[in-house]
Amino acid sequence: PSLPPVVFHYVPWLGSAVSYGMDPYKFYFDCREKHGDLFTFILIGRKVTVALGPKGNDMILGGKLSQVSAEEAYTHLTTPVFGKDVVYDCPNHVFMEQKKFVKFGLSLENLKAYIPMIFEEFDTMLKTDDSFKAFKDGSKEWSSFPALKTLGELTILTASRTLQGKEVRAGLDKSFAQKYENLDRGFTPINFLFPYLPLPSYWKRDQAQKEMSDFYLGIIEGRRNGESDHEHDMIASLQNQTYKDGRPLSDREIAHIMIALLMAGQHTSSATSSWTLLELAANPEVYQRLYDEQVAVLGQPDGSFRMLEYDDIKNLKVMDSCIRETLRIHAPIHSIFRKVISDISVPQALSAPSESGQYVIPKGYYVLASPGVAQMDARIWENASKWDPARWTDKSGVAAKAGEQYENNAGDKVDYGFGAISKGTESPYQPFGAGRHRCIGESFAYVQLSTILAAFVQNMELKLEGGVPATDYESMIVLPKHPHTIHYRKRQP
Ligand code: HEM
């Protein structure tokens, strides 16, 4: 059996790093034109085989534990940031138990309690952030805020107040923020490509990891000694968890899981809320529909809004469709890697396996899935590159024939995902991934995103000058390019 075709490149070791790094989606779509759904490219000395489309997603995200490893692909990036013995620094079965503990902590009861806390943080920001001075003063004039910066702050403030716990929230006003910054600067594509370089950013990262870990340890010990009580947060939940063999989670493991959750949720959620608000500001008719929906579901006779409740979220269909659609064309994660740990045999034509020979992807290669490619594929979605939330509330928005279904590798029938998000590994819509490494933060992210969005819609009109920004692929996450200024005006009674 032969190897998958290799993408042409001029410089041997560098390979396609530049075109991939500048715009990974353009790179994937261009390569697909030439080579089909399966091809290999060189990335700074690594051989990376890309598998596109729902079948490619299935091959990688549904891959066998004996063939593909997430920990071998990620540990050199994540372990210096999260710390030891968690996530990709432990055997996969241990991490799977850790994911279960976290899921337990994201209980319905906790999620319900978070909504009013998120509104409170929003109100505090309106009162204290310079960008919202016009709002505070009750001005009728338009003013503006930088989307990514504002939403980044709101995301970390609200995640701290809710999931992370009040000690972390209090720390954000003090020393914690700087530690977080230093850790974050050590979580970039450069760190992924070069695990250790003798650079200040690497030393600061390592220092910040130690201090952050100790900070959480202090919280955990303080709580055990009854120095402070807690609300509904994750630390409290993790302190009660034990592995199947009876061993409780150690304090260090709890600390490191908390850091992992902070990092996993921060840029993914803040990118999503930024893109959603940018798209809404550019689409006033959708923003009006969103406002009308808030009035219909939460409006009071005196013109105010009652508090959003968890059960309202499923009735706010326009809001749901705006978030869903944003995650379709601005999925925060554009590339998902695994290391190949034993040779994989795959059909040369992924979508017509019976008519083709086999390729082998050898041990030592990486494989890469990009669910975003299927999410923006014009063969699957009508007007694929248009941000059009109505496609989720109106079946005619999808190009595939009505009733057409995929079968995933577990034998489940998976539809194109009208309404319900498919959890299968073979689906054209996977912003949260699929399979054993699928996201566990989705329910929290939806609560956080919905609440922040509702707060903006209820309080402000928005507009954009110059259209939705282009995409910046320089960091690990799909972000809007500068400037991403959103103009707002306080809604007048
Ligand atoms: C995994 C996306 C928010 C925690 C993933 C994966 C994706 C993803 C694509 C799969 C990665 C892979 O297969 O290698 C997102 C998006 C988010 C979001 C789009 C927000 C809009 C969150 C939040 C948390 C979180 C808020 C924590 C509270 C995790 C964890 C994993 C994960 C623990 C598992 C990694 C693994 O099993 O290897 N996420 N995520 N995520 N996410 Fe999220």
Side-chain angles (χ1 to χ4, degrees), residues 74 88 95 99 264-265 268 272 332 336 338 431-433 437 439-441:
Y74 294 140
Y88 306 122
F95 177 36
K99 281 180 86 169
T268 45
T272 307
I336 295 177
R338 303 283 184 262
F432 294 96
H437 289 286
C439 188
I440 43 170

Side-chain angles (χ1 to χ4, degrees), residues 244-491:
K244 274 187 257 165
D245 64 7
R247 182 174 76 79
L249 270 172
S250 75
D251 291 0
R252 278 287 171 203
E253 285 171 315
I254 296 177
H256 295 171
I257 290 174
M258 294 306 294
I259 298 174
L261 297 180
L262 186 69
M263 304 303 290
Q266 178 58 23
H267 296 294
T268 45
S269 283
S270 60
T272 307
S273 53
S274 298
W275 281 118
T276 311
L277 283 186
L278 286 162
E279 290 286 2
L280 285 165
N283 289 277
E285 70 300 338
V286 182
Y287 198 58
Q288 183 62 41
R289 256 191 279 142
L290 200 51
Y291 181 70
D292 294 343
E293 181 182 72
Q294 290 285 312
V295 173
V297 177
L298 305 171
Q300 300 295 289
D302 68 355
S304 67
F305 295 92
R306 70 166 169 80
M307 179 52 70
L308 175 71
E309 284 171 27
Y310 185 82
D311 292 328
D312 293 322
I313 293 179
K314 64 176 184 301
N315 297 323
L316 295 165
K317 298 213 187 313
V318 179
M319 183 151 82
D320 182 85
S321 69
C322 289
I323 297 171
R324 213 171 278 269
E325 180 68 346
T326 301
L327 287 168
R328 186 181 69 81
I329 63 168
H330 303 291
I333 296 177
H334 57 72
S335 302
I336 295 177
F337 289 86
R338 303 283 184 262
K339 186 96 184 257
V340 179
I341 54 173
S342 66
D343 294 2
I344 307 173
S345 180
V346 287
Q348 291 182 355
L350 280 178
S351 49
S354 57
E355 297 156 28
S356 71
Q358 299 285 112
Y359 283 135
V360 160
I361 309 173
K363 180 179 170 181
Y365 273 43
Y366 289 81
V367 283
L368 188 163
S370 179
V373 170
Q375 290 176 191
M376 293 186 283
D377 190 343
R379 298 180 300 204
I380 297 176
W381 310 84
E382 215 162 82
N383 294 325
S385 57
K386 186 174 185 317
W387 186 81
D388 177 20
R391 75 173 76 242
W392 294 101
T393 49
D394 168 7
K395 284 202 172 197
S396 67
V398 170
K401 285 180 224 78
E404 201 170 323
Q405 285 190 324
Y406 282 103
E407 189 168 307
N408 68 14
N409 68 341
D412 304 327
K413 292 279 186 205
V414 176
D415 68 30
Y416 278 88
F418 301 113
I421 298 182
S422 149
K423 289 202 159 68
T425 50
E426 186 181 328
S427 160
Y429 185 76
Q430 297 170 324
F432 294 96
R436 68 170 53 242
H437 289 286
R438 192 184 193 285
C439 188
I440 43 170
E442 178 178 0
S443 57
F444 176 77
Y446 258 85
V447 164
Q448 193 182 32
L449 292 167
S450 304
T451 309
I452 289 176
L453 200 51
F456 273 101
V457 176
Q458 290 175 11
N459 286 287
M460 293 173 204
E461 298 170 67
L462 303 181
K463 72 176 182 192
L464 210 57
E465 279 165 16
V468 177
T471 306
D472 172 359
Y473 296 103
E474 264 172 48
S475 77
M476 213 84 90
I477 297 289
V478 173
L479 299 175
K481 266 199 178 133
H482 285 276
H484 37 63
T485 309
I486 295 179
H487 297 263
Y488 73 87
R489 181 167 68 177
K490 186 173 179 153
R491 286 194 190 277

Side-chain angles (χ1 to χ4, degrees), residues 87-125:
V87 189
Y88 306 122
D89 190 53
C90 57
N92 182 261
H93 68 91
V94 175
F95 177 36
M96 290 299 126
E97 283 200 68
Q98 293 170 351
K99 281 180 86 169
K100 225 178 275 160
F101 300 153
V102 172
K103 250 191 213 163
F104 194 81
L106 291 171
S107 64
L108 206 57
E109 190 201 343
N110 285 1
L111 293 175
K112 284 182 176 174
Y114 292 164
I115 295 177
M117 299 180 189
I118 296 173
F119 267 106
E120 244 177 71
E121 289 293 341
F122 180 82
D123 285 339
T124 305
M125 178 166 240

Side-chain angles (χ1 to χ4, degrees), residues 126 132-141 488-493:
L126 292 187
F132 294 111
K133 192 170 176 307
F135 186 96
K136 191 176 130 195
D137 296 346
S139 168
K140 292 188 173 120
E141 301 302 314
Y488 73 87
R489 181 167 68 177
K490 186 173 179 153
R491 286 194 190 277
Q492 304 298 323

Side-chain angles (χ1 to χ4, degrees), residues 166-183:
K166 61 185 177 196
E167 297 93 331
V168 178
R169 173 63 189 85
L172 273 182
D173 297 330
K174 303 182 221 134
S175 57
F176 188 87
Q178 188 57 51
K179 293 189 189 84
Y180 168 76
E181 276 294 309
N182 287 342
L183 209 53

